[in-house]
Amino acid sequence: MDYLPIFLNLHDQRCLVVGGGDVATRKAAMLMRAGAYVHVVAPDIDASLLERLASANGSFRIGTYSADDLDGAVLAVAATDDEAVNRQVSADCRARHLPVNVVDSPALCSFVFPSIVDRSPLIVAVSSAGKSPVLARLLRARLETTIPAAYGRLAAICGEFRGLAKKTLPDTNARRAFWERELQGAFAELVYAGREDEARTHLEKSFAATHPARVGEVYLVGAGPGDPDLLTFRALRLMQQADVVVHDRLVSQPILDLCRRDADFIYVGKARSHHTVPQEDINQLLVRLAGEGKRVCRLKGGDPFIFGRGGEEIEELAAAGIPFQVVPGITAASGCAAYAGIPLTHRDYAQSVRFVTGHLKEGSPELPWQELIHEHQTLVLYMGLTGLEHISRQLIAHGMAADMPVALVSQGTTPQQKVVVGTLADIAGKVAGSGIHAPTLTIVGRVVELRDKLNWFMPD
Ligand code: SAH
């Protein structure tokens, strides 16, 4: 290890920054964020740096650096483009045993600034020991995307309970187990959802219970239309903490591969017209698993609240008093439209868009045809191939132009995506010979014509 990572408390400590340009401004800003009292010395100081100093109780001296500027400082940064000055600052600091950083000159530094992810009070610091600051920054960016924004709040609230935790759980192992459970369960979820008061109450109750009951919960998670890149950060986090994953046919394998490896996977897929697991049984399954104290991730294709029967599942959970949360996902209409180059609305062609399911409840009447006929409305039909011919015929019979453009997107957003474009009159025929696979989504409307213009980036 070339450097020891430590976290310095600089509150109200004097730090010297030598230099008055862009880089000096960034370093000074970082020191001020840490509560330091910053003093800047340079012959020229940027106006923006002067403003910052004024607003953070800092000070400055216009002039050339001299060793006296180090008086009272606990740390110094040299950020000038004058090599001789940089060397002098470094040498003076070493003589006084002060930590020193010289920008872009690792050899002159006794410490380096890491790339940081700031979720104060939680801070992650990444350093390449000056070997590749860009690599460190890229790693930082990856961490940034995987650490929930509310981690700082979470750490702060845990801090409030440290005293109580020590008192009620004097045994270190018991305390650790307690926090591990809460930080991956209901307490953390309440904080992420912004329900901090409830989170505190939950913790108080957990401390009060001598043998805290393991509370299970259900995450109803929208997994998007297929491409794993379209998952939300929250979806991914919950997929990685769940004990059990209950999924169906629409959830693609690459997405399942992102779930916690040692989770139990339960497939409750439904193939059209033979329902492997009836909905009522799925509802009961979720209630039972959560009742056993498990964290259950119910993974659904697209968005759980769009033709996903998510409403029915949480109704049952609510009735059983099981905590749950719903994570929205990118619905097939948005995903397929974007990946096929078809905007669902457009100022010139469609001022509204209507999502319709072709999977009707058995015994349901036909679709409300008349309502679907609007020149300036895009129709998105969530349905398989079987109804396509019937629907096209009905739309024409109820007054839609036979030359209305139609696009059928199969396995949208996945590497197997295929798009067949036609009109109401000929789409069924075109699709018949195309060897297309489920799932398929049908987009009807003038916006489909834009595909030729907007699809340049997606060859298929
Ligand atoms: N909750 C889901 C929809 C479930 S209904 C969502 O929000 O997307 C199931 C229908 O969604 C399928 O019959 C099909 O019409 C459509 N669908 C889902 N994923 C799809 C995909 N990747 N490509 C095309 N259609 C899809």
Side-chain angles (χ1 to χ4, degrees):
M1 205 157 60
D2 291 333
Y3 291 85
L4 173 73
I6 56 170
F7 292 86
L8 272 184
N9 181 345
L10 287 179
H11 278 266
D12 299 324
Q13 303 284 321
R14 182 182 171 100
C15 296
L16 176 69
V17 174
V18 184
D22 269 0
V23 185
T25 305
R26 281 204 298 278
K27 298 297 178 201
M30 181 67 84
L31 293 167
M32 287 189 261
R33 252 168 84 181
Y37 158 65
V38 176
H39 181 68
V40 174
V41 176
D44 267 316
I45 302 179
D46 283 2
S48 63
L49 177 50
L50 289 174
E51 265 170 44
R52 278 170 189 260
L53 289 170
S55 66
N57 203 21
S59 59
F60 63 91
R61 185 174 72 74
I62 306 275
T64 42
Y65 160 81
S66 83
D68 296 344
D69 291 311
L70 288 169
D71 290 348
V74 298
L75 168 160
V77 178
T80 79
D81 45 18
D82 185 329
E83 172 86 28
V85 172
N86 287 349
R87 283 188 183 283
Q88 192 58 49
V89 176
S90 176
D92 292 345
C93 287
R94 284 174 195 261
R96 295 180 180 218
H97 306 293
L98 282 180
V100 61
N101 176 270
V102 179
V103 171
D104 280 342
S105 307
L108 298 179
C109 292
S110 68
F111 77 92
V112 291
F113 280 94
S115 286
I116 61 169
V117 182
D118 186 358
R119 300 280 192 279
S120 285
L122 198 96
I123 294 168
V124 183
V126 181
S127 159
S128 67
K131 305 272 189 279
S132 175
V134 175
L135 187 64
R137 272 210 301 282
L138 290 175
L139 178 57
R140 183 200 73 92
R142 281 174 66 173
L143 292 170
E144 191 75 66
T145 57
T146 51
I147 301 174
Y151 249 42
R153 295 298 308 141
L154 192 62
I157 296 175
C158 289
E160 294 169 21
F161 284 85
R162 271 177 67 89
L164 183 63
K166 271 207 164 128
K167 210 166 77 198
T168 30
L169 297 167
D171 177 65
T172 326
N173 284 337
R175 207 157 61 233
R176 186 181 327 117
F178 176 87
W179 283 121
E180 275 174 5
R181 193 173 59 238
E182 292 297 344
L183 286 171
Q184 298 179 82
F187 162 64
E189 291 307 322
L190 285 166
V191 176
Y192 299 145
R195 293 155 64 178
E196 296 185 4
D197 288 340
E198 288 166 73
R200 287 189 181 88
T201 314
H202 171 88
L203 265 196
E204 278 157 13
K205 276 200 199 140
S206 297
F207 278 123
T210 25
H211 299 292
R214 246 168 81 82
V215 191
E217 47 187 341
V218 176
Y219 318 130
L220 190 57
V221 175
D227 184 346
D229 261 11
L230 296 179
L231 285 168
T232 60
F233 293 147
R234 178 171 291 208
L236 188 61
R237 181 170 53 74
L238 295 173
M239 285 158 62
Q240 290 179 347
Q241 80 177 27
D243 304 305
V244 189
V245 177
V246 179
H247 61 102
D248 50 41
R249 188 173 56 100
L250 281 175
V251 179
S252 66
Q253 190 59 43
I255 287 179
L256 291 177
D257 290 343
L258 293 172
C259 293
R260 198 175 122 192
R261 298 264 156 199
D262 59 345
D264 289 332
F265 289 81
I266 303 180
Y267 176 72
V268 290
K270 286 178 234 169
R272 196 180 52 80
S273 71
H274 60 93
H275 292 237
T276 3
V277 182
Q279 185 64 47
E280 180 51 28
D281 292 3
I282 298 178
N283 302 351
Q284 286 307 322
L285 176 72
L286 298 179
V287 169
R288 179 170 64 72
L289 291 169
E292 289 167 7
K294 301 203 166 101
R295 291 164 299 182
V296 185
C297 177
R298 170 71 174 114
L299 256 193
K300 300 180 92 67
D303 181 279
F305 278 180
I306 295 184
F307 308 132
R309 306 191 72 173
E312 295 163 53
E313 292 177 12
I314 56 177
E315 236 177 87
E316 202 99 359
L317 295 169
I322 301 217
F324 62 83
Q325 59 171 300
V326 181
V327 183
I330 291 185
T331 190
S334 302
C336 293
Y339 280 52
I342 302 171
L344 293 177
T345 65
H346 187 287
R347 270 159 54 117
D348 299 332
Y349 304 100
Q351 286 79 44
S352 67
V353 53
R354 187 163 177 146
F355 296 173
V356 181
T357 176
H359 304 282
L360 296 177
K361 220 170 154 176
E362 258 162 70
S364 292
E366 288 262 339
L367 288 167
W369 302 112
Q370 212 55 61
E371 281 177 31
L372 305 185
I373 319 289
H374 279 289
E375 183 61 23
H376 295 290
Q377 171 171 271
T378 305
L379 276 187
V380 182
L381 300 158
Y382 284 69
M383 55 165 220
L385 286 177
T386 29
L388 189 60
E389 193 173 355
H390 174 67
I391 287 182
S392 308
R393 231 185 300 116
Q394 289 293 340
L395 288 175
I396 295 174
H398 286 80
M400 198 178 272
D403 69 352
M404 183 62 82
V406 179
L408 190 118
V409 184
S410 98
Q411 299 179 298
T413 80
T414 72
Q416 293 78 37
Q417 169 173 305
K418 288 214 164 56
V419 184
V420 181
V421 179
T423 63
L424 273 186
D426 65 16
I427 189 73
K430 279 192 170 176
V431 167
S434 63
I436 242 170
H437 294 285
T440 59
L441 186 96
T442 307
I443 303 176
V444 181
R446 296 280 166 212
V447 288
V448 171
E449 282 165 3
L450 294 166
R451 176 175 149 75
D452 291 336
K453 263 200 269 175
L454 303 181
N455 190 39
W456 59 273
F457 62 95
M458 275 274 157
D460 63 8

